[in-house]
């Protein structure tokens, strides 16, 4: 989305790169990143993102900073991680809460940008989170690749010949 966004992402990358070795709780990591971003960027710059930490037992902790909530797929049933927060870079004293979820064998977590849900069809109607949820609900996925390919296929089918106006970024994490 342009040079300003690229510079902001580069700044965020440096901020997280410097904070991660401190081994902070995720909520504290986000509060510190927020303050550093505010000090090092213009007043009207902010970022939405989800930060997560996973362990080998399938435990995942996330903090959501103004981003669309990730979708949790457990046993073929979809649900949203019910956690929202303010974007980074908006308010100096913003607090960020974390949520923990346990993935069992075959469970997945799907993260995605708003470009996925804002895809429009030929009639100008958005794909939306509800359509994404419907596309993946009731299915089991052998791998993160299979989950993303299914989503991408449903998005392409919905969009048809309509122009694409934003990125389509997805990340799937599965526990096997």
């Amino acid at each position: 989305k342009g040079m300003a966004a690229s510079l902001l992402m580069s700044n965020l990358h440096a901020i997280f790169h410097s904070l991660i070795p401190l081994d902070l709780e995720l909520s504290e990591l986000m509060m510190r990143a927020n303050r550093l971003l505010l000090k090092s960027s213009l007043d009207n710059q902010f970022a939405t993102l989800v930060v997560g930490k996973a362990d080998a037992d399938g435990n995942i902790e996330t903090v959501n900073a103004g981003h669309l909530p990730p979708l949790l797929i457990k046993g073929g049933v979809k649900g949203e991680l019910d956690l929202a927060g303010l974007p980074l870079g908006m308010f100096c004293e913003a607090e960020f809460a974390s949520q923990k979820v346990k993935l069992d064998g075959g469970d997945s977590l799907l993260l995605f940008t708003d470009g996925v849900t804002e895809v429009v069809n030929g009639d100008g109607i958005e794909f939306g989170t509800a359509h994404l949820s419907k596309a993946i609900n009731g299915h089991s996925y052998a791998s993160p690749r299979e989950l993303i390919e299914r989503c991408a296929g449903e998005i392409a089918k919905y969009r048809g010949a309509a122009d694409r106006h934003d990125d389509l970024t997805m990340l799937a994490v599965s526990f096997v």
Side-chain angles (χ1 to χ4, degrees), residues 25-39:
E25 294 292 325
L26 282 186
S27 55
E28 178 66 20
L29 174 82
M30 292 294 276
M31 287 189 285
R32 288 190 188 193
N34 181 60
R35 287 193 298 268
L36 288 169
L37 183 62
L38 275 162
K39 289 179 183 178

Side-chain angles (χ1 to χ4, degrees), residues 35-54:
R35 287 193 298 268
L36 288 169
L37 183 62
L38 275 162
K39 289 179 183 178
S40 63
S41 62
L42 300 174
D43 288 341
N44 64 346
Q45 290 185 316
F46 62 90
T48 66
L49 59 120
V50 174
V51 171
K53 182 192 249 184

Side-chain angles (χ1 to χ4, degrees), residues 1-2 5 48 67-68 112-120 126 155 159 162-170:
K1 297 186 180 178
T48 66
H67 210 273
L68 295 167
F112 52 94
T113 60
D114 60 1
V116 170
T117 57
E118 293 175 359
V119 163
V120 295
E126 286 189 354
I155 291 165
R159 183 171 59 91
D163 290 336
R164 198 174 82 192
H165 302 286
D166 202 351
D167 68 286
L168 299 176
T169 305
M170 294 178 275

Side-chain angles (χ1 to χ4, degrees), residues 68-69 71 78 110-113 116-117 127-137 141 147 150-152 154-155 170:
L68 295 167
L71 297 179
K78 183 275 329 157
L110 178 68
L111 296 95
F112 52 94
T113 60
V116 170
T117 57
F127 186 68
T129 305
H131 200 99
L132 179 62
S133 296
K134 183 180 175 190
I136 62 175
N137 204 23
Y141 302 94
L147 174 57
R150 177 168 180 81
C151 293
E154 290 296 317
I155 291 165
M170 294 178 275

Side-chain angles (χ1 to χ4, degrees), residues 3-15 37 46-49:
M3 183 61 75
S6 294
L7 290 172
L8 182 65
M9 289 300 103
S10 178
N11 189 13
L12 273 174
H13 179 267
I15 287 170
L37 183 62
F46 62 90
T48 66
L49 59 120

Side-chain angles (χ1 to χ4, degrees), residues 70-152:
L71 297 179
L72 175 64
I73 301 109
K74 286 186 84 56
V77 178
K78 183 275 329 157
E80 286 182 0
L81 291 188
D82 188 24
L83 186 65
L86 295 170
L88 285 187
M90 291 193 85
F91 301 104
C92 188
E93 298 305 318
E95 294 187 9
F96 299 89
S98 68
Q99 180 178 18
K100 295 179 181 178
V101 65
K102 170 81 166 105
L103 296 185
D104 297 312
D107 294 345
S108 300
L109 191 62
L110 178 68
L111 296 95
F112 52 94
T113 60
D114 60 1
V116 170
T117 57
E118 293 175 359
V119 163
V120 295
N121 62 15
D123 296 326
I125 300 168
E126 286 189 354
F127 186 68
T129 305
H131 200 99
L132 179 62
S133 296
K134 183 180 175 190
I136 62 175
N137 204 23
H139 299 277
S140 295
Y141 302 94
S143 68
R145 174 180 296 251
E146 185 180 302
L147 174 57
I148 288 174
E149 286 175 352
R150 177 168 180 81
C151 293

